[in-house]
Amino acid sequence: MWRDLLPIGRSQATNGYRRYAWTPADADCRAWFRAQAETRGLAYEEDRNGNQWAWLGDPTAGDAVVTGSHLDSVPDGGAFDGPLGVVSSFAALDELRSRGARPAKPLAVVNFGDEEGARFGLACVGSRLAAGQLSAEQAHALRDGDGVSLAQAMERAGYDPEAIGPDPERLARIGAFVELHIEQGRALADGPHPVGVASAIWPHGRWRFDFHGEANHAGTTRLEDRRDPMLTYANTVLAARKKARLVGALATFGKVGVEPNGVNAIASLVRGWLDSRAPDEETLAAVVGEIERAAVERGLRDGVEVKVTRESFTPVVEFAHGLRDELAGLLGGAPVLPTGAGHDAGILSASVPTAMLFVRNPTGVSHSPAETAAEDDCLAGVTALADVLEGLACR
């Protein structure tokens, strides 16, 4: 499975992955998922939001145990973030069958669409739509960098954008959702356990900072006559690092756009996107507020207008304590650890009992081609997931 999936959407220039929603690479990933389902004799279906499902047992019976993750990537992302969970889910079903396990509940593997939000700027679109946390109108308004709407992209890929929306009946049939994921950090790296259990997801969000200045000639405009938004943006990036460090939060400007984007031109507009995360919502609100204040204050000095727009926000997610503790028990006391990364499991947690397993990442690197996990640890993850599914669905 891993060998078949590995080349899809891979950039020869960077060795990273560019599996963006509703693109040819995404279509190839979807075809791979369907082939894996059909090879195993699983009932395959796509829901109204384009999420893919592979069922062992009756999908309508209720109290189903579902596992899976996503197959899309961030720009030049790694091979494991998302796909490890989907590949491991199919492998765990294979393991259950080899054990002769007899599920008393329906089992399913799911591939949620557009989890990373790399193309349209909003993470977890497929699961947000299903859970009613994103309306069809809001989804239709999403645009990529070329101005293509989500609706247009879905239609070009052969899907009906008019059908998208909440899917409460489907979610009501799920008794538990367990997502396996590579750890995005090093909490497990130096310990004896290859697999851990998630306790919670930090609250996090994305904010767009627009710095409006005045375009002018780089070679003829005196420094004191400039209204250069690049200066305000650069100062804000530094302020974000300082403000986050002081309160134990995280703040990252990882994407920027410049107009007119000329080497010999002072910019008229710099647009930067802030990703910020913190242990609690109060700290997150405080650090973003401090970053915005620093931007506005510097903008006054530079003659630059600053506008901040919150584009997404996910509150703190406490995974179902009973399910979390059951998983830790099934895995013989696996370590329980929090994460700062968002996941489909976090979105679904408001509607369905959810839990997560993390597979050890020796470097802690993620969202990069350097992302990796040892084969033995990946196999340990499959065994752990099979143990969990057997405990939840076969007893």
Side-chain angles (χ1 to χ4, degrees):
M1 282 189 288
W2 196 256
R3 283 194 303 270
D4 290 344
L5 188 60
L6 208 57
I8 298 175
R10 196 171 196 169
S11 166
Q12 293 184 348
T14 66
N15 211 33
Y17 288 88
R18 300 174 181 178
R19 296 167 173 163
Y20 307 147
W22 311 115
T23 63
D26 184 50
D28 289 345
C29 287
R30 289 172 173 275
W32 174 90
F33 183 96
R34 181 168 187 166
Q36 297 302 321
E38 293 175 346
T39 297
R40 291 167 173 76
L42 305 175
Y44 172 81
E45 63 174 340
E46 294 172 352
D47 66 25
R48 61 189 301 182
N49 298 306
N51 303 312
Q52 296 178 288
W53 302 78
W55 289 92
L56 177 63
D58 181 4
T60 65
D63 202 23
V65 177
V66 179
T67 185
S69 192
H70 63 94
L71 294 174
D72 66 315
S73 76
V74 298
D76 290 319
F80 292 82
D81 180 353
L84 179 63
V86 179
V87 170
S88 298
S89 296
F90 282 120
L93 289 189
D94 295 343
E95 170 66 14
L96 288 182
R97 284 173 159 171
S98 72
R99 296 177 184 180
R102 297 182 178 275
K105 301 175 182 178
L107 281 167
V109 178
V110 62
N111 168 36
F112 284 108
D114 200 4
E115 193 270 353
E116 295 289 7
R119 183 173 181 186
F120 298 102
L122 179 66
C124 300
V125 170
S127 56
R128 284 183 193 273
L129 283 167
Q133 297 180 27
L134 176 68
S135 70
E137 292 75 21
Q138 290 170 323
H140 285 170
L142 295 174
R143 297 283 189 281
D144 68 9
D146 295 321
V148 178
S149 71
L150 174 66
Q152 290 171 324
M154 288 186 70
E155 198 164 35
R156 291 172 185 175
Y159 293 81
D160 180 10
E162 298 305 316
I164 63 174
D167 206 349
E169 293 182 3
R170 178 179 297 274
L171 296 186
R173 297 198 298 266
I174 300 175
F177 175 65
V178 180
E179 181 174 3
L180 179 144
H181 204 279
I182 188 170
E183 186 194 2
Q184 294 167 296
R186 300 191 71 257
L188 296 172
D190 299 322
H193 298 278
V195 180
V197 179
S199 60
I201 297 176
W202 281 13
H204 55 278
R206 298 179 182 185
W207 289 261
R208 189 185 76 240
F209 281 63
D210 293 334
F211 302 87
H212 294 273
E214 181 179 64
N216 216 325
H217 197 295
T220 62
T221 310
R222 296 187 308 167
L223 294 181
E224 57 267 31
D225 292 337
R226 299 184 179 200
R227 295 175 52 217
D228 187 350
M230 189 64 76
L231 295 178
T232 315
Y233 167 71
N235 186 80
T236 304
V237 173
L238 296 175
R241 172 62 179 261
K242 179 180 179 180
K243 303 298 185 184
R245 178 173 53 80
L246 290 174
V247 296
L250 299 170
T252 308
F253 278 95
K255 179 180 177 181
V256 61
V258 182
E259 296 178 11
N261 205 26
V263 175
N264 59 348
I266 299 167
S268 61
L269 169 66
V270 176
R271 179 168 284 147
W273 280 264
L274 170 70
D275 178 300
S276 191
R277 304 160 193 248
D280 57 77
E281 294 176 29
E282 182 178 333
T283 302
L284 179 60
V287 74
V288 173
E290 286 295 315
I291 295 168
E292 181 174 353
R293 275 189 286 275
V296 171
E297 289 174 3
R298 177 67 194 212
L300 290 174
R301 290 173 54 188
D302 297 332
V304 171
E305 179 187 358
V306 179
K307 180 180 179 182
V308 180
T309 304
R310 190 178 80 177
E311 292 193 338
S312 69
F313 175 74
T314 302
V316 63
V317 172
E318 287 281 350
F319 288 113
H321 289 192
L323 181 59
R324 179 197 66 195
D325 295 343
E326 185 175 0
L327 264 60
L330 288 168
L331 300 181
V336 179
L337 54 145
T339 178
H343 301 280
D344 292 309
I347 299 298
L348 295 183
S349 65
S351 308
V352 174
T354 60
M356 290 193 71
L357 302 179
F358 291 127
V359 172
R360 183 162 51 195
N361 180 342
T363 66
V365 173
S366 187
H367 283 189
S368 158
E371 181 180 82
T372 190
E375 183 175 337
D376 286 348
D377 287 351
C378 292
L379 293 174
V382 170
T383 300
L385 182 57
D387 290 344
V388 165
L389 296 180
E390 185 172 15
L392 295 176
C394 301
R395 298 175 185 172

